Each structure stands twice: as C-alpha cells, then as structure tokens.
Amino acid sequence: MNDLERALTIRREGSKTSLKMQAGVATTLASLGNCYSFMKEYSKAEEALTEAVEKRKTLSGPEHITTASCYQALGNYLRIQGKVVEAESYLTRSLSIRTKLLGPYHPHRHLLLGMLWVISIWGQQLGKKLVIASNEH
C-alpha cells in the first residue's frame, strides 16, 4: 500500500466523526486518482476520481469550486483515455461552474476551453459530434 492509500484509509476512519476529514477524503481520492493514472492503473484511477466527484458534490454542493476541480480532474483523465464524449461532459460542467463563480476571464476557464477544443477535434476524427462551450459568458 502506498502513502496515499494509507492516507485515504486514515482519512476514511477519521471522516466518521469529522466533516473536515470527509473533505480530506475527497482531496485524497482526487490525488490518488491522478497518481493511479500516471502509474497506468486506469480502472483504479477512474474509480478514485469518480468517487472524489461524488464526495465533493455531497460535501460542497454541485456548483462549488472544489466540485468543479474534481469534474476537471475526471474530465481530463477521461480525455487522456480517449473517452471524448464522457470527458466533454465533465469538462463542460467544470467550465460552467468556474465561469459562473470566477468570471469569463479567469485562466482556468481558458485552460478548460483549450481541453474542450482538443476533445472536439478528436471527436471529429472519431466521427462524433461534440458541442464546445461557447466563449460567451
């Protein structure tokens, strides 16, 4: 078991009594998912990132900036895996939340638009019609 897996186990135990520890579980899951992705343990990565999204939605709400970060992490992972339709959905959600909370000129918004543009190109190559979020907001 690696250090992040141990941290997740400890945080899960503490989360039974502490809301702060529950938030820590979501953060650790997202970090663990990214690590699994780099280690090419893709099923574990997707599982951890999906759980991080669900925890963040429950703890912070579906329109919170930390939830948007989890949507972005899962969307980026799916993009790297070539799952363009699913990736587009999560990245668009993240973009919508970030635009609403941070405004149309925030750097994260432009990063997401770049990811969505790449996904659109891949989708065209795969014969899938994807809708890119507009630059207006």
Side-chain angles (χ1 to χ4, degrees):
M1 183 185 292
N2 67 35
D3 290 341
L4 274 174
E5 289 170 335
R6 277 194 293 275
L8 181 59
T9 300
I10 292 166
R11 287 192 168 185
R12 281 191 198 276
E13 284 299 312
S15 73
K16 295 174 184 171
T17 58
S18 165
L19 189 60
K20 185 176 180 181
M21 289 296 274
Q22 288 177 24
V25 168
T27 301
T28 304
L29 281 164
S31 297
L32 191 56
N34 288 327
C35 287
Y36 282 141
S37 180
F38 288 121
M39 296 179 342
K40 299 185 183 339
E41 293 186 36
Y42 299 122
S43 63
K44 287 182 177 182
E46 190 166 347
E47 182 181 319
L49 290 168
T50 301
E51 188 178 346
V53 164
E54 293 307 314
K55 286 227 177 286
R56 278 295 174 196
K57 284 188 337 190
T58 300
L59 292 169
S60 305
E63 297 286 316
H64 195 273
I65 197 71
T66 57
T67 305
S69 294
C70 286
Y71 282 142
Q72 181 178 344
L74 181 55
N76 192 46
Y77 162 79
L78 292 167
R79 177 185 64 87
I80 291 166
Q81 292 304 303
K83 298 178 180 181
V84 293
V85 174
E86 298 94 331
E88 189 260 351
S89 174
Y90 285 106
L91 292 172
T92 299
R93 284 186 218 165
S94 180
L95 177 64
S96 175
I97 295 166
R98 288 179 186 281
T99 300
K100 181 178 175 182
L101 298 178
L102 302 175
Y105 302 107
H106 194 275
H108 285 172
R109 183 174 184 278
H110 297 292
L111 173 69
L112 284 163
L113 283 170
M115 286 181 192
L116 285 164
W117 180 79
V118 168
I119 286 172
S120 176
I121 299 300
W122 286 353
Q124 289 172 11
Q125 291 172 351
L126 296 172
K128 296 180 178 162
K129 178 91 169 131
L130 301 175
V131 179
I132 271 206
S134 78
N135 229 352
E136 303 169 29
H137 282 265

